[in-house]
Amino acid sequence: MKCISIFLSAVFLLAFTHRCQPGINEEKKISTISRALIPQPVRTEYASGHFTITENTGMFCPAKLEETAAIAARQLGIIKKVNTGRKRKGIFLAIDTSLHREGYRLKVQRGKIEITGGSNAGVFYALQTLHQLSGSEGLPSKVPCIAICDYPRFSWRGLMLDCSRTFQSPEYLKKTIDRIAFYKMNVLHLHLTDDQGWRLEIKSRSVLAEKGAKFHPEYNEPERHQGFYSQEEMRDIVQYAGSKGITIVPEIEMSGHSTAVLVCYPELSCTGEIVDKIFPFFKGPSVTPDILCAGNEETFALIEDVIDEIVEIFPSEFIHIGGDEAPKARWEKCPKCQKRIKDEGLSDERELQSYFIRRVERYLRSKGRRLIGWSEIIEGGLAPNAAVMDWIGGAKEATEKGQDVVMSPTRYCYFDYPYASIDSEHAYRFDPVKDLSQGPSEHILGLQANFWSHIDREPELVDKQLFPRLLSIAERGWSPSGSTDWDSFRNRLEKHLAILRLMGVNYYQADVAESAR
Ligand code: ACM
Ligand code: ZN
C-alpha cells in the first residue's frame, strides 16, 4: 500500500511513457505476454517500450541479496555474474523494509529494471514476476516497460504434500518448491507421519525411521514408496525452500493415525498389544482405532523428544501436530486414560483430546513455536495460541475467539479429489473469508491445497492432481479480494500451460484447453 503513491505520480507516468517507444510488432508480442501474470499483481501500469534481457544483462544488488539474485539470474538464463557494484544499465535490486515484507515494486524502463522488495522474499517475488514477463521463449527476451506495486492478500499460501502414504523423494520436493515459488506460494506443509509410515530421522528415537518407515514385506511395496528423510536431507530441503521464500511446515501426526509409531512403540497404545504391520492405505482401515495413549507419560516423553529435534531442523513458526480422526474407543476402555480424565477433572474423552493438545501446545510454546492442527483440535476446547487448519469446519468458532485459521476445506482444496469435483474454475471460486465478518476474517491466515498420496502415488500423477488447479489457489492467496474474474484468470492460465510444460510439469490437460497461440 505504501508504494501506491508512486503510481499516482503523473510526472512519473509521463516520463515513463515518453522514454519507451517500441515498434508495432514488438508491442503486439509484448502485450500478449504481459497480460499473463499469475498471480495478478495488486497494481500494474503498462507503458510502451521494452527492456531487452540478454545473457549478459547485469544484475546488481547489495551483498545480502546475492543468493536471491543468483537464483533469479539462473532462472532467467543470465550468465553474467551477479555484481554488488554500481552500474547504470541492468537489473538493480534493493530492500526497503518499509514495504510489506513479501511485497515489492518493480519498474521496467528501457535502460534499467529497478526492483525494491520488503525483504529477500519480496525481491524474490519481484524476480518471479519479471521472469513471467520475460515469457517462456528464452533469451534474449523483451520485457514490457511496466510499473508494478504488489503484495500478498494472505500470509499463508500453502500446499500440503502427504509424504507418509507415499514417500516423496527430496528431488520431487525441490521440484515442487520451484514450481510453487514461481507462483508466489510460501508454505510447503509436509505430512511426515501417518499409519503408512514415519518419514523423518529422529536421532534420539532412531527406531522410528528404522522400523516405522517400511511397509510390511508381505505387501511387496516398491522401495520408492517408502523410506525416510535423514536430518541432513531435510535441512537441505528446508534451506532450499527458504532461499525461495518458502517455509517448510512439518506435520507430526498425533494422537490418531499413529500405526507407524505403534509398530515401534506398542507400549504406547492403550491396549499395549503388538502392532506388527505397516499396511498400504487400501490394505487396511483408513482410520485405525489404535491411537496414542493419553494416560501414559511415556507418550508425552516421546512427543517431547521428537519436538526437541523438529525445532532444530525446521525454523517454521508453526509446527503441525495433526489431531484429526482420532477415534476415542480405546481411550474409553483404557484404565490409564480414564485415570487421567479423573485426575485432571476432565468430563470426557473429548476433553482428554483437548488436554493432550494443550499439553503439546505448551511444550511447543516453551520452544518459541506455535501449534497448528486440523479442525478436530477444537473438540473439548481449543488450546490458547493454537491455530486451526480447517478441513471440515471450525473456522468460525476459532476466529470468533480470536484464534488463527488456515482454510483448506475439502470442497475446494483437496487435490487428491478428481477434477470432476474440483476443477481450476471451482478452486478459483474459493474465497477463504467468505462466511466471516470483518473482525474474525482478520484471523484467517490464508489458504492451502492438500494432496493426500493414497490414490495417485507416482510423481507424474501427483503433478496431474496439482496442476493446473494449484494456480487458482496461488492467485486466491496472493491477489486482492476483487480479483475474481474467472475469464481473465482462464485467459492467463491458458498461456501458463506452455510455461508448466517447460517446467516439466505433467499437468492435467483436460482441465483448461490451451488456446491457439
Ligand atoms: C484430513 O483430511 N484427515 C485432515
Ligand atoms: Zn490409554
Side-chain angles (χ1 to χ4, degrees):
M1 269 165 278
K2 295 186 182 103
C3 52
I4 279 176
S5 60
I6 94 164
F7 296 101
L8 300 179
S9 159
V11 174
F12 164 75
L13 279 175
L14 276 174
F16 193 63
T17 316
H18 178 69
R19 262 182 271 147
C20 309
Q21 297 293 347
I24 298 269
N25 290 341
E26 284 168 357
E27 186 88 86
K28 189 154 173 270
K29 180 181 170 212
I30 289 163
S31 66
T32 319
I33 298 166
S34 63
R35 275 192 285 274
L37 292 178
I38 295 180
Q40 182 88 68
V42 172
R43 193 177 166 95
T44 305
E45 300 283 351
Y46 289 108
S48 49
H50 65 266
F51 178 100
T52 303
I53 301 179
T54 72
E55 309 184 322
N56 291 314
T57 296
M59 204 181 266
F60 306 97
C61 63
K64 69 176 179 183
L65 281 170
E66 258 183 290
E67 187 189 10
T68 304
I71 291 169
R74 267 198 307 281
Q75 282 181 309
L76 287 162
I78 292 171
I79 52 174
K80 206 164 171 181
K81 208 166 154 7
V82 169
N83 196 313
T84 50
R86 295 182 70 81
K87 291 279 176 327
R88 283 187 343 157
K89 283 195 125 188
I91 303 172
F92 295 83
L93 311 181
I95 288 185
D96 173 354
T97 52
S98 70
L99 296 179
H100 184 296
R101 193 186 73 75
E102 293 185 298
Y104 64 88
R105 284 192 304 246
L106 165 65
K107 190 158 95 180
V108 180
Q109 296 167 271
R110 189 157 57 181
K112 64 176 173 183
I113 296 176
E114 287 176 304
I115 284 173
T116 308
S119 67
N120 280 52
V123 172
F124 178 79
Y125 291 140
L127 287 161
Q128 300 315 297
T129 300
L130 181 63
H131 193 192
Q132 294 195 7
L133 288 169
S134 79
S136 53
E137 286 123 23
L139 299 183
S141 152
K142 292 186 167 84
V143 180
C145 286
I146 202 169
I148 293 180
C149 167
D150 206 8
Y151 50 87
R153 180 180 178 202
F154 292 111
S155 63
W156 188 301
R157 306 177 301 279
L159 168 68
M160 185 279 285
L161 285 184
D162 170 6
C163 305
S164 174
R165 271 50 178 271
T166 307
F167 180 74
Q168 310 292 334
S169 70
E171 295 71 38
Y172 189 68
L173 296 188
K174 285 188 176 177
K175 257 192 206 174
T176 305
I177 287 164
D178 291 346
R179 293 159 176 184
I180 67 175
F182 186 58
Y183 292 105
K184 302 187 177 74
M185 296 180 76
N186 66 353
V187 171
L188 180 62
H189 161 186
L190 298 179
H191 183 73
L192 291 169
T193 74
D194 209 300
D195 296 315
Q196 279 68 39
W198 181 282
R199 305 270 175 240
L200 181 68
E201 176 188 28
I202 301 295
K203 291 185 196 288
S204 66
R205 303 278 187 155
S206 56
V207 65
L208 285 169
E210 277 157 17
K211 206 168 165 186
K214 291 259 177 220
F215 289 104
H216 193 274
E218 79 175 60
Y219 300 110
N220 281 321
E221 276 286 299
E223 277 301 309
R224 66 179 182 284
H225 288 175
Q226 43 199 326
F228 64 92
Y229 308 100
S230 69
Q231 292 198 359
E232 196 183 343
E233 278 172 328
M234 190 48 83
R235 282 204 168 88
D236 177 52
I237 292 164
V238 167
Q239 194 281 331
Y240 185 82
S243 73
K244 299 188 169 205
I246 291 179
T247 301
I248 303 284
V249 173
E251 179 183 349
I252 303 296
E253 176 86 72
M254 57 191 84
S255 53
H257 290 284
S258 290
T259 302
V261 179
L262 297 178
V263 163
C264 305
Y265 293 99
E267 66 276 19
L268 298 187
S269 72
C270 289
T271 63
E273 280 166 20
I274 301 291
V275 181
D276 69 345
K277 279 186 193 164
I278 296 187
F279 54 88
F281 187 84
F282 287 109
K283 300 286 167 58
S286 60
V287 175
T288 57
D290 287 303
I291 68 175
L292 295 170
C293 178
N296 187 342
E297 277 305 295
E298 288 305 312
T299 295
F300 296 97
L302 171 71
I303 291 169
E304 291 178 9
D305 284 349
V306 170
I307 288 174
D308 288 347
E309 296 192 29
I310 288 278
V311 297
E312 293 298 319
I313 303 167
F314 300 93
S316 166
E317 175 189 4
F318 286 97
I319 305 293
H320 203 301
I321 56 77
D324 60 316
E325 298 180 317
K328 308 294 182 296
R330 296 288 192 256
W331 287 1
E332 282 163 15
K333 300 237 158 52
C334 171
K336 288 198 281 279
C337 285
Q338 291 306 312
K339 179 169 185 315
R340 178 83 77 195
I341 287 174
K342 188 154 167 283
D343 290 351
E344 296 292 330
L346 308 171
S347 58
D348 57 14
E349 290 71 26
R350 284 162 53 88
E351 285 198 5
L352 183 57
Q353 155 108 350
S354 177
Y355 164 87
F356 194 117
I357 303 294
R358 279 170 198 267
R359 201 166 151 172
V360 177
E361 192 275 330
R362 254 197 327 271
Y363 194 71
L364 278 171
R365 192 148 30 105
S366 77
K367 301 273 171 188
R369 306 305 177 95
R370 288 183 67 192
L371 179 148
I372 185 164
W374 299 109
S375 298
E376 292 92 323
I377 66 166
I378 290 182
E379 280 174 18
L382 183 56
N385 302 308
V388 177
M389 189 166 271
D390 176 341
W391 72 291
I392 46 165
K396 198 163 159 37
E397 186 183 337
T399 55
E400 278 172 3
K401 287 199 188 109
Q403 292 190 242
D404 292 335
V405 170
V406 174
M407 293 300 295
S408 60
T410 55
R411 210 152 77 82
Y412 292 100
C413 296
Y414 266 44
F415 283 7
D416 47 309
Y417 289 13
Y419 278 80
S421 55
I422 306 176
D423 60 11
S424 288
E425 180 172 1
H426 184 78
Y428 193 71
R429 303 236 180 260
F430 177 47
D431 184 354
V433 300
K434 185 167 158 283
D435 300 323
L436 300 174
S437 52
Q438 167 104 39
S441 73
E442 283 162 17
H443 288 282
I444 298 292
L445 300 178
L447 73 174
Q448 179 170 294
N450 293 332
F451 176 77
W452 300 100
S453 60
H454 53 309
I455 302 170
D456 294 296
R457 309 184 67 189
E458 307 306 331
E460 315 79 76
L461 300 177
V462 182
D463 270 12
K464 217 173 226 176
Q465 292 301 113
L466 297 182
F467 296 98
R469 58 188 166 177
L470 193 56
L471 276 59
S472 299
I473 295 295
E475 175 141 317
R476 299 304 286 155
W478 179 280
S479 303
S481 58
S483 296
T484 55
D485 180 352
W486 163 248
D487 288 333
S488 153
F489 181 74
R490 185 199 159 98
N491 202 3
R492 288 177 282 125
L493 183 56
E494 284 173 9
K495 293 185 180 112
H496 273 257
L497 298 179
I499 297 173
L500 292 179
R501 249 197 327 276
L502 273 178
M503 289 200 276
V505 179
N506 184 41
Y507 62 88
Y508 180 62
Q509 297 191 8
D511 189 31
V512 180
E514 199 164 354
S515 58
R517 289 163 56 80

